[in-house]
Amino acid sequence: MHRTFVPVVAAGSRCMATSGQRLGLATRISRSVPSAVVLPVQRLPVHATAQPPLWRAGARTMAADAGYEASIEQRLIEALSAQQCKVVDQSGGCGQSFAISVESEAFKGKSRLQRQRMVQEVIREEIAKWHAVTIQTTVPADA
């Protein structure tokens, strides 16, 4: 008798994993069944099953506060003596992706990598909570 592996998912069950995680989960919970038996597998649309992972709750709560970006800007301005600093939430308000632009004299004579690391060092704890960050650093132009 030929046996195949079929993912077993209860109809109407909700899965809070991403599609890649669902595939891994289905593989782990698969069971061997005769090839003549076909189990119905209901695939719900992503928007119907999507739930935010629990580990993202911390950044989301802080990002909901309008002053979150301002607090990060202030930390960077103080630590790097920045003339200009802008932090923008690019994730649509969920607080998982930020674009940071910093202009400071402290970057003079530093490589691009050294500048990035200077910024990262100041906000290391915050970056650990985010999914993505884009950092642009510049040196002020002499007038």
Side-chain angles (χ1 to χ4, degrees):
M1 176 190 270
H2 180 67
R3 295 167 102 49
T4 58
F5 290 98
V6 177
V8 178
V9 177
S13 68
R14 293 174 58 120
C15 180
M16 296 191 302
T18 64
S19 60
Q21 291 170 327
R22 277 195 295 266
L23 179 61
L25 180 63
T27 303
R28 287 195 302 275
I29 64 170
S30 296
R31 65 181 182 135
S32 179
V33 294
S35 60
V37 176
V38 177
L39 298 175
V41 176
Q42 181 182 11
R43 181 168 261 226
L44 298 175
V46 174
H47 68 276
T49 61
Q51 296 291 329
L54 295 176
W55 58 269
R56 289 189 178 175
R60 176 167 310 190
T61 303
M62 288 183 287
D65 179 19
Y68 182 65
E69 290 92 342
S71 69
I72 294 171
E73 287 175 10
Q74 191 60 37
R75 287 173 56 186
L76 290 167
I77 289 170
E78 291 172 3
L80 300 172
S81 302
Q83 282 77 17
Q84 291 184 349
C85 181
K86 184 161 180 96
V87 178
V88 178
D89 183 356
Q90 294 183 316
S91 61
C94 75
Q96 290 301 304
S97 178
F98 290 90
I100 299 173
S101 174
V102 183
E103 182 177 304
S104 174
E105 285 287 335
F107 298 143
K108 191 173 273 187
K110 306 278 188 202
S111 71
R112 181 176 175 188
L113 180 61
Q114 290 171 324
R115 295 175 183 186
Q116 299 268 329
R117 287 181 177 167
M118 289 170 69
V119 173
Q120 291 172 0
E121 187 61 37
V122 174
I123 55 172
R124 180 177 306 278
E125 301 83 27
E126 301 304 322
I127 291 176
K129 299 173 191 172
W130 302 340
H131 172 73
V133 63
T134 303
I135 301 172
Q136 181 180 5
T137 58
T138 57
V139 177
D142 293 329

